[in-house]
Amino acid sequence: QVQLVESGGGMVQAGGSLRLSCVASGLPFSNYIMGWFRQAPGQERDFVAASWNSGTTQYTDSVKGRFTISRDNAKNTVYLQVNSLKPEDTAVYYCAAAQVAGFVNVYSTRVYDYWGQGAQITVSS
């Protein structure tokens, strides 16, 4: 029943920008923390950003000032605007949803209940 459908990936030159979208269905969107993770070939799936319904956001240090997470509750959609892209940003990007239940460590993949299918971002030098 629950689905997270991603779109917006692609190939760009270093310094370019993209906007990823993740449309959620089958869940009470406002009751979930929405996160973005990324995974490069042979690497762990790493935290990128998270958004609470209150407007609070969290980012990993390597993307601060370049990436922006936002959400549109009316559209049940979370976005990741990625600017000033670097080759090391190349990865499959996944959106995820974590149910709010007290303290949640948004850096951990284990706290997320649902995942999108992934969207490839490739950044050329």
Side-chain angles (χ1 to χ4, degrees):
Q1 295 277 43
V2 174
Q3 294 186 58
L4 303 180
V5 180
E6 300 180 41
S7 62
M11 181 179 295
V12 297
Q13 296 183 112
S17 300
L18 289 169
R19 188 175 75 159
L20 299 178
S21 298
C22 174
V23 180
S25 61
L27 58 81
F29 189 73
S30 62
N31 294 130
Y32 279 78
I33 300 165
M34 301 301 298
W36 288 96
F37 287 74
R38 64 187 180 185
Q39 187 168 23
Q43 303 296 311
E44 300 288 330
R45 188 170 298 189
D46 292 327
F47 174 79
V48 176
S51 173
W52 284 254
N53 191 53
S54 64
T56 299
T57 58
Q58 187 71 43
Y59 299 91
T60 191
D61 286 345
S62 63
V63 308
K64 288 180 179 177
R66 300 189 299 122
F67 291 9
T68 303
I69 187 171
S70 61
R71 62 197 290 162
D72 185 338
N73 288 341
K75 296 182 178 180
N76 292 153
T77 301
V78 63
Y79 304 95
L80 186 69
Q81 178 71 40
V82 296
N83 298 329
S84 302
L85 286 164
K86 305 173 181 179
E88 51 262 45
D89 295 318
T90 295
V92 177
Y93 285 70
Y94 297 90
C95 68
Q99 190 171 22
V100 176
F103 178 79
V104 175
N105 177 13
V106 297
Y107 291 85
S108 173
T109 59
R110 295 184 177 182
V111 308
Y112 293 87
D113 302 298
Y114 306 105
W115 293 86
Q117 82 280 12
Q120 177 73 42
I121 290 179
T122 301
V123 184
S124 60
S125 60

